[in-house]
Amino acid sequence: MDESLHTTNSLTGPPLLPIDPTPPRSPSLPPTSPVAAIPMGSHPMLTRAQAGIFKPRHSADLAYCGSFGLLFALLTSIEPKGFKSAAKNPAWLATMDEEVQALKNNHTWILVPRPAHTNIVGSKWVFQTKYLPNSSIERLKIRLIAKAFT
């Protein structure tokens, strides 16, 4: 058969050449060069903070919100985040005392000596201001919750 007329089958393709399992060496690198570790701080990724891109903070315009009573009350009221800030306000202290008295009256817990080598469940005060539809304050609400994840 004439070699010039010979065509390859498109499904099989041209014959494969033997593959050398050793990778080719670059003439510029020495044959036994150790692999250098890349330092941690040299990654090319650039974060938004590094580029100076920050989310804009949209502070509420209280002059505009003054016409909306409930919205104005919600934006201007400051609920304490913890006991230290609540202890500065006598109204919050009185509400905390009412909550503790309600827990005692309902026999929510029984005081027992602390067992050795056990974890004690912590607690946290949660503060909330309840409003009426006319944007006046209905009451201050406080809950003492157990941190069950501890």
Side-chain angles (χ1 to χ4, degrees), residues 59-116:
S59 59
D61 185 9
L62 296 179
Y64 172 74
C65 296
S67 60
F68 303 103
L70 181 61
L71 182 60
F72 181 77
L74 289 173
L75 292 173
T76 57
S77 69
I78 299 173
E79 294 174 349
K81 300 293 182 194
F83 177 78
K84 286 183 181 180
S85 56
K88 297 175 184 175
N89 188 336
W92 286 108
L93 278 175
T95 310
M96 288 170 69
D97 188 43
E98 290 173 11
E99 176 70 12
V100 170
Q101 290 302 321
L103 292 172
K104 285 181 181 179
N105 293 340
N106 293 331
H107 303 290
T108 305
W109 66 74
I110 301 169
L111 188 61
V112 296
R114 179 181 179 177

Side-chain angles (χ1 to χ4, degrees), residues 110-124:
I110 301 169
L111 188 61
V112 296
R114 179 181 179 177
H117 307 294
T118 58
N119 291 333
I120 303 299
V121 176
S123 60
K124 177 183 176 179

Side-chain angles (χ1 to χ4, degrees), residues 1-21:
M1 182 174 199
D2 186 15
E3 288 293 324
S4 64
L5 298 175
H6 180 58
T7 59
T8 60
N9 187 347
S10 63
L11 296 177
T12 59
L16 296 176
L17 299 175
I19 297 175
D20 184 16

Side-chain angles (χ1 to χ4, degrees), residues 46-56:
L46 186 64
T47 64
R48 290 179 183 180
Q50 291 171 340
I53 301 170
F54 299 100
K55 285 185 176 182

